[in-house]
Structure formats: structure tokens, C-alpha cells
Amino acid sequence: MKNITEQLKETIVEELYDIETNEGCHEDYIEDYETEVDFYLSNVSSDTYEVYVKEYCSNEHDISISNEQTFEIIDDLIDKIKDNN
């Protein structure tokens, strides 16, 4: 399995951040949540988000990532959402 560089990991986190903070990329509504952060984290905290991240990396960057790398990306994404909203 190919290791991803720190720079590519940061790029992926930034891309996923742009997706998750776009209201149109959610199937639910921001009004259904107490805060914007809760809304933005709704997809990220779902049980299937790990699969989504792996598929995203494969489809958009032509790489396979390990479970560990997947969780690092998700953790970094959660921190970025909390820090910027």
C-alpha cells in the first residue's frame, strides 16, 4: 500500500473540508442542527464516512490508503471543521 505524503494528506483534508462545509453536499438541512459545526460534522461522524474517504482517495487521487491513514484524515478534518467554524 502506497504511503501518502503529508502534503497530499493536507490536500485531501482541504478538499473534504470544502465538501463538508458546502450546505448543498448534505442530504439534511442546517436548520435541523443546533450549530453549523454540528451540521458540518454530521456526515463526518457517520459510520460510513471511513468508506467514503477511502473511495474519495481512490477516485480523486488514484491512491489506496490504510485504515490508519483514513482515521488520520478524518481526525484532521474534524479538527479543521471545529477550528474554522
Side-chain angles (χ1 to χ4, degrees), residues 3-19 53 56-57 61 63 65 69-70 72-78 80-81 84:
N3 284 329
I4 62 172
T5 63
E6 191 64 31
Q7 182 178 9
L8 180 55
K9 185 173 93 170
E10 289 174 13
T11 298
I12 292 168
V13 169
E14 186 65 35
E15 291 170 354
L16 291 171
Y17 174 82
D18 290 344
I19 292 168
V53 170
Y56 181 86
C57 289
H61 295 279
I63 59 169
I65 59 173
Q69 291 166 326
T70 304
E72 286 175 10
I73 289 169
I74 293 171
D75 288 344
D76 289 352
L77 176 59
I78 290 170
K80 185 170 182 68
I81 290 172
N84 291 297

Side-chain angles (χ1 to χ4, degrees), residues 18-47:
D18 290 344
I19 292 168
E20 296 308 330
T21 57
N22 179 336
E23 219 175 304
C25 292
H26 289 253
E27 292 181 4
D28 47 2
Y29 301 98
I30 199 165
E31 297 84 18
D32 296 335
Y33 294 86
E34 287 187 31
T35 67
E36 277 187 1
V37 172
D38 291 341
F39 173 69
Y40 296 145
L41 291 174
S42 63
N43 287 342
V44 179
S45 59
S46 77
D47 293 341

